[in-house]
Amino acid sequence: MSGGGARGGDAQEIADLRARVAELERRRPRVEHHRVRSSFAVVLILLAALLTPLSAVSAWTSDLIGNTDRYVATMKPLASDPDVQNAVANRVTKAVMQHIDVQTLLESVAPADRPRLTKALGPLSGPITSGLTDFVHTVALRFVSSDAFATLWTELNRRAHAAVDKALTGSGGGAVKLTNDAVVIDLAPVIDQVKQSLVDQGLGVAAKIPEVHTDFTVMTSKSIGKAKKIYRLLEIVGFWLPVLTLLLAVGGVLLAVRRRRALVTAALAVAAGAAVLGIALWIFRALYLDGLPSSVSQPAAGSVFDTLVRYLRTAVRTLITLGIVVALAAWLTGSGRAASRVLAAWTGGIGAVRTATGFDLGAVGAWVHRVKTWLNWTVVAVAAVILLVWSYPTAAVTIWIAVLALLALAVVEFLDDDGTPHLTGSLDGPGGGTYGQESGLTG
């Protein structure tokens, strides 16, 4: 009897082991399936991070060249930049002085104009040529510092916008053209205005100066020929590449087994990709300025470069801020111990304020309690829509949208009251929730 019982026990153990093995065999495909899903999710998120810098550059390139108002608005501040003004005045002075012969000037000045010329040149020290050069530079600098130059600069850039596209695609012409691997602006209209100012101030011979065309370099590069091809590609994918990047990030999060963790990873990865672009811009700026020829004003070139990439740098700061905000929000709505404590402090603190104020929310509190999840997601959706439709949001705008959304969530939490009595200082959250209970965003 005892031997039969032992054999029966062994048989039962063998049956249990077989059942466990069968259970493990059934689970193995599921584990393999999860591994495949996780691998694909990681690949999609990495692709999104790698494409983030290129997406920002393509969107910036397409919009800067494809939008006349945006281009004009980008270039407009350069008219009041001291470095650019001084560089333009130097260029105009050099062009004018190349067409003025001092000896001929002195011989050709009419007797009636000599007092005015003497008065204009009298205070200037040094040889007559140097004094005349200083005089022309003073007149040129006075003009480029005026509102008239700012207006002319804006008009030139608006008329030249179409030519910028031609310059970057390899065919120049007009006010902006591609010359010797450089994008340049023809300053002939500025010289005409300076010539008229010189005539008005007694230098009548300036009226005899023929039409002078001289170039102001906007950007130069030894590899601008290759850049033209890249520009054309970026212009074509300017809209679709950012969309593809977003879809890859969303696809990676949805495909992941642990979606909340994947969302945190994707947000930080996109922020890291944007940070890489910011560092690349800083390095490229230094290399670009170091490679400029001596004839180009480095301060003015730096101002032009900073102005042209201003919105690109704004996009970098915005993506970094947005990535951090999304990652933080995803982490806070998770079930981790630290996140649960923060959430409990949030709900408990707001609940304590509501209890201390003694508001009787009644039916409103009960209704908010029932639809709290929908209200929270509505706040998030509205914030996302505002961010998407905002034209060129900055990092500050992104932070303010997040702060306002947080205040709206706080109002929802404050109104969430199912009528259950609460004790001040209790660990129970508002609406009868317990310590560590997740918010309506997590369901």
Side-chain angles (χ1 to χ4, degrees), residues 79-372:
S80 57
D81 185 276
D83 293 327
V84 173
Q85 290 176 346
N86 193 57
V88 172
N90 290 340
R91 194 67 179 169
V92 170
T93 301
K94 182 178 180 180
V96 170
M97 290 303 299
Q98 287 177 347
H99 293 81
I100 295 181
D101 181 75
V102 177
Q103 187 62 34
T104 303
L105 167 65
L106 296 176
E107 294 176 354
S108 61
V109 173
D113 292 335
R114 288 176 183 172
R116 297 176 62 189
L117 181 60
T118 301
K119 181 179 180 180
L121 298 180
L124 302 176
S125 60
I128 186 65
T129 302
S130 175
L132 184 58
T133 301
D134 291 342
F135 173 64
V136 174
H137 184 271
T138 299
V139 173
L141 188 59
R142 185 182 301 123
F143 173 74
V144 299
S145 302
S146 66
D147 294 337
F149 173 73
T151 302
L152 179 60
W153 178 264
T154 300
E155 293 176 354
L156 280 175
N157 280 283
R158 184 172 294 278
R159 293 201 307 264
H161 177 260
V164 173
D165 186 28
K166 294 180 181 179
L168 292 178
T169 54
S171 58
V176 177
K177 55 187 177 181
L178 188 64
T179 303
N180 297 326
D181 286 340
V183 179
V184 297
I185 294 179
D186 188 356
L187 295 178
V190 179
I191 295 176
D192 288 340
Q193 294 288 338
V194 173
K195 286 193 300 183
Q196 184 59 47
S197 297
L198 291 173
V199 172
D200 294 340
Q201 297 189 43
L203 196 62
V205 71
K208 299 180 181 180
I209 298 176
E211 184 177 8
V212 180
H213 294 274
T214 188
D215 298 329
F216 176 76
T217 301
V218 174
M219 182 167 290
T220 180
S221 173
K222 294 180 180 179
S223 59
I224 198 167
K226 298 179 181 179
K228 291 184 296 184
K229 298 179 181 179
I230 298 176
Y231 159 74
R232 292 301 300 169
L233 177 62
L234 293 178
E235 187 183 29
I236 293 173
V237 301
F239 171 77
W240 295 108
L241 192 56
V243 173
L244 175 62
T245 303
L246 178 61
L247 291 178
L248 287 174
V250 172
V253 172
L254 295 179
L255 192 60
V257 177
R258 299 181 177 181
R259 292 178 178 174
R260 192 183 309 280
R261 180 179 297 180
L263 178 58
V264 173
T265 303
L268 294 179
V270 170
V276 169
L277 175 59
I279 295 173
L281 287 174
W282 176 69
I283 295 175
F284 179 77
R285 183 185 189 277
L287 295 176
Y288 169 72
L289 294 180
D290 288 341
L292 289 175
S294 58
S295 59
V296 178
S297 169
Q298 284 215 1
S303 297
V304 173
F305 181 89
D306 293 338
T307 299
L308 286 174
V309 302
R310 178 179 56 179
Y311 290 106
L312 186 56
R313 285 173 171 165
T314 299
V316 168
R317 290 190 290 267
T318 301
L319 287 174
I320 293 175
T321 304
L322 183 61
I324 294 175
V325 169
V326 171
L328 183 61
W331 175 77
L332 286 176
T333 56
S335 57
R337 179 176 298 180
S340 296
R341 289 178 177 177
V342 173
L343 188 61
W346 165 267
T347 56
I350 296 178
V353 172
R354 184 181 61 246
T355 302
T357 55
F359 277 110
D360 184 11
L361 298 172
V364 174
W367 178 82
V368 172
H369 182 76
R370 289 194 304 270
V371 298
K372 177 182 176 181

Side-chain angles (χ1 to χ4, degrees), residues 384-406:
V385 170
I386 293 175
L387 186 63
L388 289 174
V389 301
W390 194 290
S391 180
Y392 301 96
T394 62
V397 169
T398 304
I399 293 175
W400 273 111
I401 291 176
V403 170
L404 292 177
L406 192 64

Side-chain angles (χ1 to χ4, degrees), residues 416-436:
D416 174 21
D417 186 8
D418 62 350
T420 303
H422 303 284
L423 295 177
T424 303
S426 171
L427 291 179
D428 291 343
T434 60
Y435 179 85

